[in-house]
Amino acid sequence: MCRRKRRTTGDRVRVHAPGPSQESLERDGTRTCQPNPPLTRTTLGQLLFSGMIHLGDSVCVFKKNIYMCVVTPPAGRELPPICPNVRLKHQHQHRITVDNLPPEVRARFATDPVMPLRTKTVKEFQEDIERATVSGDWKHVHDFYLTTFGSFLELNAAFKKDANPPFNTIEDSGINTKFINAVYDALSLTPPDAQRAVLKGIINSLLREWKGRRTKDDLRAYFILVQNPQCTSPATYVIYAHLLRQIAALAEADHYFLMHWFKKLSQKRFKQLVERLHLFISTRLFPVKAEELPPMAKCSWWIPSATKVLSLLNAANIISSTPILPFVDFYNPTLDHTDFMEDYRIWQTQGNSTRFTFCQFAFILSTVVKKAVIQKDSEQQMISMARQSLVDKVSRRQRVDMSLLFLNIKVRRLQLVSDSMDELTRNRADLKKKLKVSFVGEAGLDMGGLTKEWFLLLIRQIFHTDYGMFTFFNDSHCHWFSSWKCDNFSEFRLVGVLMGLAVYNSITLDISFPPCVYKKLLTPPVVPCDLDLPVGMATLTLDDLQQVMPDLSHGLAELLSYEGNVEEDFCTTFQVSQEELGVIKSYNLKPGGDKIPVTNQNRKEYVQLYVDFLLNKSIYRQFTTFYYGFHSVCASDALMLLRPEEVEILVCGSPNLDMSSLQKAAQYEGYSKTDPTIRAFWDVVLGFPLKFQKRLLHFSTGSDRVPVGGMADLNFKISKIDTSTEWLPISHTCFNQICLPPYKNKKELKQKLTIAISNAEGFGLE
């Protein structure tokens, strides 16, 4: 005889029974006892220990699996003890059949499952909360939470806008989000037993196992449960982990629905989900109290499950018409303190295999981590190249010169571009060695400062409009590739090599490329083996053109939205013209384009072809040469981890100067931060206009850009120099150091500092 325990909640009865036999799972009827093997007796013990559930609640364990049975009794009748031969089966909808009950208690059931009728509104629920707050009687609210979260069926009954909504769109979940928000917002105001009731209900919901694809109601239930604010506490992490595991294990088509539902959340709710997942991952990696969580060995699947769910939110953010959150909000700074190089090594060797690595989900890795990976990868390649050069010399019994360990560039200031091209061409095989620069006729030793100076001056000359390689657009404040045709594009290769060397040697450049250049640089991120394959041909849109040529982009947008007759009013064909070295040339956007009019029907095609022509085809040879120059130095699997915006940050740093942050991070030698000279220095610097603040940064560090990681990464130092106050300040750009004599007052310091930073080119030895 099976034991049963009955608890009445409205018109529902929960019956506890041992797990079904294999025979009972093979007969018609709806499955009521649903096992979930991953949720074992051990896990249940943890839940009991934490106080989330109690013995006698509506769960029981049988042969290491957990079951919950839900039965609707015939009206006005008591159910007899359930007999061992009651047979159950999994079906699309979940209900109990009573075919095997004795005739005296058998009642007629509807053929189709009926959704429980729940008509409570947001206003009614809020009134219930107000009454309970005043009276102190929370039973009605407690019963609502217990019933609502007791099963997926009840969740849908409570929160669906319509019992059987048409499902012809992926955009609308059919869920009353205002009601969900009200219920969750009020949860923190309820007594602890009501909050525990929600957790117990979620446990009951998750203790079910489905075979085959989930229904849309199941997806709605997951969508509702994952928004539970209780999941911020480590005490609930066992439940939260199982919820995330089930969501992560859904089919790709189900993920597609959830992704589109997530993007419809408000920014506040969306951000809460992201922050909750980050907190879960961080706490699992570095728990405040280790005893609060199970041993890592027993829950190694927690972090992969959470990261996969976070990737759905990241995808939702990407496909949203405007990003809900900036991409940096998906960074988890906790990972900066993990062994990310080991993670990178595993990813390199095993790729996107079944073994989890954070590199498979690169959106979660901060730019600091990615920069460090690229730096260490570069260092390993530098060491390898230097070792090979050394071995070659020794094997040929030649004299070993330490200079062979470096990429040595020696240039004249007056012939900077031509000398640099010659040096880089001559040393093409050494591009992956450590860079050392010297200027002819100057005694400076390159400990990093001369390299920064070389980059800065060379970039200024190459990008000057008089040089003709790039066009500067005043309205977008960016440079773009000149579309003129010639037989030799080697100078574009030089620019690509310079950018690659900058990333390779951790130098920031003052380059004003639009974001689409970095998209093209990552198309593809690794140079294809077949050199005949096109490179840099990114899929670009009108939004990308907006960042380069905003006026033209605006005109094309007006063409797309024009309500009149495009063919008659615009008189345009699929042929475009552009100026090249003072000559107007025409190009067909498609074969016979000069004879094909642009109409209301084909204007979208015209705009897309025009954008593709301007940003891809018209500069294809220039950009291809530039692409191969960049990747000849910076070829690394680590580039596959980067977004285009992150490549831009690595190349250019940040143009946003925050001198207050520099003041907080500054170090002192011979001075203290309370000395009058130091106080006067920061008063002057913080009062400088942006132009002079950039000059100061360039004077002391060799670059006016902020590196990845912010001002703190500069290791900026102010040292005391015991010389006459008639001397100007001195800088050591190799060490990001500025040396100040002990000036008598603020006025004198400002005068001397202004002269120094305004005449900051050239190097010498003391």
Side-chain angles (χ1 to χ4, degrees), residues 547-576:
Q547 297 166 340
V548 186
M549 309 171 191
D551 289 342
L552 178 57
S553 173
H554 179 70
L556 292 175
E558 287 188 335
L559 172 66
L560 291 176
S561 61
Y562 187 68
E563 297 180 355
N565 189 310
V566 170
E567 182 177 0
E568 293 181 358
D569 296 343
F570 283 83
C571 300
T572 304
T573 65
F574 276 73
Q575 185 183 68
V576 295

Side-chain angles (χ1 to χ4, degrees), residues 495-520:
V495 181
V497 169
L498 283 174
M499 281 184 55
L501 285 172
V503 173
Y504 201 64
N505 290 271
S506 302
I507 304 293
T508 55
L509 302 178
D510 187 9
I511 294 178
S512 300
F513 276 142
C516 60
V517 166
Y518 302 99
K519 290 183 183 179
K520 290 165 68 66

Side-chain angles (χ1 to χ4, degrees), residues 393-659:
K393 284 283 187 181
V394 172
S395 64
R396 292 197 296 266
R397 300 192 177 186
Q398 295 177 346
R399 184 178 173 216
V400 176
D401 185 352
M402 292 306 293
S403 64
L404 64 85
L405 302 178
F406 300 95
L407 168 59
N408 296 288
I409 302 294
K410 190 171 185 178
V411 294
R412 296 166 292 179
R413 285 186 182 270
L414 296 179
Q415 285 80 33
L416 191 63
V417 176
S418 58
D419 284 1
S420 298
M421 284 190 63
D422 292 342
E423 289 286 274
L424 291 174
T425 302
R426 183 172 59 84
N427 296 290
R428 182 174 294 187
D430 297 330
L431 292 178
K432 293 197 173 185
K433 294 180 181 178
K434 181 69 175 175
L435 179 61
K436 292 283 187 182
V437 175
S438 61
F439 288 92
V440 175
E442 298 182 18
L445 295 177
D446 189 12
M447 301 296 290
L450 288 173
T451 296
K452 296 176 185 177
E453 175 83 355
W454 175 69
F455 273 114
L456 185 71
L457 298 178
L458 192 56
I459 289 297
R460 279 184 189 170
Q461 289 194 29
I462 289 176
F463 280 85
H464 197 283
T465 52
D466 292 345
Y467 207 74
M469 290 178 63
F470 296 93
T471 301
F472 185 76
F473 292 97
N474 290 313
D475 45 359
S476 60
H477 303 288
C478 71
H479 287 94
W480 189 247
F481 296 79
S482 295
S483 57
W484 49 265
K485 305 297 186 293
C486 66
D487 296 329
N488 186 4
F489 294 97
S490 58
E491 290 183 331
F492 287 102
R493 181 181 179 87
L494 168 64
V495 181
V497 169
L498 283 174
M499 281 184 55
L501 285 172
V503 173
Y504 201 64
N505 290 271
S506 302
I507 304 293
T508 55
L509 302 178
D510 187 9
I511 294 178
S512 300
F513 276 142
C516 60
V517 166
Y518 302 99
K519 290 183 183 179
K520 290 165 68 66
L521 265 182
L522 295 180
T523 309
V526 177
V527 176
C529 297
D530 185 356
L531 297 181
D532 292 330
L533 291 176
V535 296
M537 298 292 286
T539 302
L540 303 175
T541 66
L542 207 54
D543 291 335
D544 296 296
L545 185 64
Q546 168 73 26
Q547 297 166 340
V548 186
M549 309 171 191
D551 289 342
L552 178 57
S553 173
H554 179 70
L556 292 175
E558 287 188 335
L559 172 66
L560 291 176
S561 61
Y562 187 68
E563 297 180 355
N565 189 310
V566 170
E567 182 177 0
E568 293 181 358
D569 296 343
F570 283 83
C571 300
T572 304
T573 65
F574 276 73
Q575 185 183 68
V576 295
S577 300
Q578 64 179 15
E579 181 181 345
E580 296 177 8
L581 299 176
V583 179
I584 303 297
K585 294 188 177 181
S586 298
Y587 297 92
N588 287 342
L589 298 179
K590 58 193 296 188
D594 57 325
K595 297 180 177 60
I596 303 174
V598 178
T599 66
N600 293 65
Q601 290 71 37
N602 63 18
R603 57 183 169 179
K604 287 185 179 179
E605 180 191 11
Y606 169 79
V607 169
Q608 183 55 50
L609 289 174
Y610 198 0
V611 170
D612 186 56
F613 172 79
L614 291 172
L615 303 184
N616 284 325
K617 292 180 179 177
S618 67
I619 59 163
Y620 178 72
R621 292 191 61 188
Q622 293 91 321
F623 192 87
T624 299
T625 311
F626 170 78
Y627 173 94
Y628 281 116
F630 177 82
H631 286 275
S632 67
V633 184
C634 213
S636 171
D637 290 339
L639 287 178
M640 290 189 282
L641 305 177
L642 298 175
R643 295 171 55 96
E645 299 92 335
E646 293 168 333
V647 177
E648 181 178 12
I649 292 173
L650 289 177
V651 172
C652 303
S654 171
N656 301 318
L657 302 188
D658 183 0
M659 286 299 176

Side-chain angles (χ1 to χ4, degrees), residues 153-407:
L153 185 69
E154 292 285 4
L155 281 168
N156 279 276
F159 296 117
K160 278 174 72 170
K161 297 175 185 175
D162 184 4
N164 295 291
F167 223 93
N168 53 9
T169 175
I170 60 174
E171 298 294 332
D172 185 10
S173 64
I175 294 293
N176 187 341
T177 53
K178 289 185 178 180
F179 195 12
I180 294 176
N181 295 340
V183 169
Y184 278 142
D185 289 344
L187 186 55
S188 61
L189 306 175
T190 61
D193 62 334
Q195 298 180 34
R196 283 195 295 268
V198 173
L199 295 175
K200 294 172 188 176
I202 294 174
I203 294 171
N204 287 334
S205 299
L206 296 180
L207 292 183
R208 300 174 179 272
E209 176 189 354
W210 286 266
K211 295 179 181 179
R213 295 186 59 177
R214 305 292 202 272
T215 67
K216 295 302 178 291
D217 280 352
D218 299 334
L219 299 186
R220 291 188 184 97
Y222 285 127
F223 179 65
I224 295 167
L225 292 179
V226 80
Q227 298 180 57
N228 187 345
Q230 293 175 293
C231 297
T232 55
S233 168
T236 64
Y237 276 0
V238 172
I239 301 173
Y240 191 38
H242 282 279
L243 171 62
L244 297 176
R245 187 182 203 177
Q246 291 191 19
I247 295 175
L250 292 171
E252 184 177 349
D254 297 331
H255 284 161
Y256 192 68
F257 277 97
L258 288 175
M259 182 175 65
H260 280 270
W261 295 350
F262 283 140
K263 78 173 186 178
K264 293 294 184 180
L265 291 173
S266 68
Q267 184 188 46
K268 175 186 174 182
R269 304 290 173 177
F270 189 88
K271 187 172 184 177
Q272 287 173 346
L273 281 179
V274 172
E275 291 175 344
R276 202 171 294 141
L277 285 163
H278 278 313
L279 180 62
F280 177 81
I281 293 170
S282 300
T283 305
R284 178 62 277 184
L285 284 171
F286 301 105
V288 178
K289 297 180 180 179
E291 63 274 11
E292 287 184 338
L293 301 177
M296 179 67 88
K298 293 185 178 180
C299 55
S300 58
W301 49 270
W302 280 27
I303 290 175
S305 297
T307 307
K308 289 171 185 175
V309 175
L310 187 61
S311 72
L312 293 179
L313 292 166
N314 180 61
N317 194 58
I318 292 172
I319 65 172
S320 180
S321 56
T322 55
I324 306 167
L325 298 176
F327 67 89
V328 295
D329 282 7
F330 287 88
Y331 292 162
N332 190 320
T334 305
L335 302 182
D336 297 359
H337 307 287
T338 61
D339 189 358
F340 48 79
M341 285 308 299
E342 176 64 15
D343 188 272
Y344 175 68
R345 186 193 63 78
I346 295 171
W347 175 72
Q348 270 190 308
T349 55
Q350 301 189 19
N352 294 327
S353 64
T354 54
R355 182 168 180 178
F356 170 81
T357 61
F358 284 112
C359 287
Q360 295 170 338
F361 304 90
F363 67 86
I364 199 174
L365 299 173
S366 70
T367 314
V368 173
V369 169
K370 292 169 184 173
K371 179 189 176 184
V373 169
I374 289 176
Q375 280 183 322
K376 292 182 182 297
D377 202 33
S378 300
E379 288 169 3
Q380 291 171 1
Q381 293 184 45
M382 288 178 182
I383 293 170
S384 178
M385 287 293 296
R387 183 185 294 118
Q388 186 60 48
S389 297
L390 191 61
V391 169
D392 290 344
K393 284 283 187 181
V394 172
S395 64
R396 292 197 296 266
R397 300 192 177 186
Q398 295 177 346
R399 184 178 173 216
V400 176
D401 185 352
M402 292 306 293
S403 64
L404 64 85
L405 302 178
F406 300 95
L407 168 59

